[in-house]
Amino acid sequence: DGGITQSPKYLFRKEGQNVTLSCEQNLNHDAMYWYRQDPGQGLRLIYYSQIVNDFQKGDIAEGYSVSREKKESFPLTVTSAQKNPTAFYLCASSIEGTGGQPQHFGDGTRLSIL
Amino acid sequence: AQSVTQPDIHITVSEGASLELRCNYSYGATPYLFWYVQSPGQGLQLLLKYFSGDTLVQGIKGFEAEFKRSQSSFNLRKPSVHWSDAAEYFCAVGVPYSGYSTLTFGKGTMLLVSP
């Protein structure tokens, strides 16, 4: 079955550490997205990529970085510059990089600070 | 820029009763509209989508939504709620025929189902 795989499901970070969240899709989708979810705040867009080797900042990109070297993969690095990283992170993809197409989501990674 | 408002943060419905979750959007033309559901600790699952045509859209799990242009609304309905419907529901809007692939999500409505 095609889908989006996020790993790990739970991740713990020490102060001052960078951590990388994995997102892989086998849907052959062009576009991929990273969202941060905090209670009562809905989904906030961190970064998105409409095509391989290209990505754009979303609404809350500070303290995060991404790469898109392969169509299937869109890893998110939470850097030490992100002062409040504890949250639920969701990766999504859509078939096209334009036109407001529906997004398909992974099951998320919950990041906590030790 | 487009925006989405879900006026109800929480809604409690008795099992077997009908459900309506409200969604209002702001956009200059007719957008693409979506409803997603999220169970605790899970990702979002697409319930239904409206692109054009018939304003009453059927989705999975017995849900439907009606697009009302005059009210800028896209409310989600279900005639009889089951305990398994307890979850958080998100409305989202997309801009058709544009260079933008991003969706704008509402802040969600938490549905609680009482026995």
Side-chain angles (χ1 to χ4, degrees):
Chain A
D1 281 344
I4 298 177
T5 301
Q6 289 188 243
S7 61
K9 191 167 181 64
Y10 300 96
L11 187 57
F12 299 92
R13 193 190 91 169
K14 293 182 180 179
E15 296 281 353
Q17 270 186 343
N18 293 353
V19 290
T20 297
L21 283 60
S22 171
C23 178
E24 303 278 332
Q25 55 101 356
N26 61 3
L27 299 167
N28 199 32
H29 285 177
D30 280 337
M32 298 186 74
Y33 314 81
W34 274 106
Y35 293 92
R36 171 178 171 142
Q37 192 175 25
D38 298 280
Q41 298 205 42
L43 279 71
R44 292 185 290 169
L45 183 65
I46 304 173
Y47 269 98
Y48 65 103
S49 167
Q50 292 178 289
I51 200 164
V52 176
N53 292 322
D54 187 39
F55 50 84
Q56 290 81 39
K57 293 182 179 180
D59 302 317
I60 56 165
E62 185 174 351
Y64 300 96
S65 66
V66 294
S67 64
R68 185 89 187 276
E69 298 175 0
K70 298 186 300 182
K71 189 174 187 177
E72 304 79 27
S73 178
F74 191 41
L76 173 74
T77 296
V78 184
T79 75
S80 57
Q82 173 49 242
K83 297 307 178 189
N84 185 22
T86 297
F88 189 54
Y89 291 87
L90 286 164
C91 179
S93 70
S94 64
I95 192 166
E96 293 176 351
T98 60
Q101 295 298 310
Q103 294 176 11
H104 301 258
F105 285 80
D107 283 338
T109 292
R110 186 166 298 281
L111 175 62
S112 301
I113 297 299
L114 289 179
Chain B
Q2 66 274 20
S3 65
V4 179
T5 302
Q6 295 181 245
D8 303 304
I9 298 174
H10 298 101
I11 281 187
T12 300
V13 174
S14 298
E15 190 169 14
S18 63
L19 169 70
E20 182 168 30
L21 301 182
R22 296 183 292 164
C23 172
N24 294 98
Y25 68 89
S26 174
Y27 180 62
T30 299
Y32 291 160
L33 294 159
F34 310 91
W35 274 101
Y36 286 86
V37 61
Q38 183 182 33
S39 298
Q42 301 289 315
L44 277 67
Q45 181 183 21
L46 181 66
L47 283 175
L48 47 79
K49 59 184 183 285
Y50 173 78
F51 281 3
S52 66
D54 193 346
T55 56
L56 186 62
V57 180
Q58 301 297 321
I60 62 171
K61 304 186 180 189
F63 286 92
E64 66 179 27
E66 185 171 12
F67 169 60
K68 292 186 176 180
R69 187 191 312 272
S70 61
Q71 298 177 18
S72 297
S73 69
F74 189 57
N75 294 350
L76 183 70
R77 301 195 295 246
K78 187 170 185 178
S80 177
V81 167
H82 188 261
W83 63 266
S84 60
D85 294 323
E88 190 158 23
Y89 292 79
F90 293 92
C91 182
V93 60
V95 178
Y97 314 117
S98 71
Y100 304 100
S101 62
T102 57
L103 302 182
T104 300
F105 287 84
K107 292 189 183 298
T109 297
M110 183 67 73
L111 173 64
L112 305 173
V113 180
S114 61

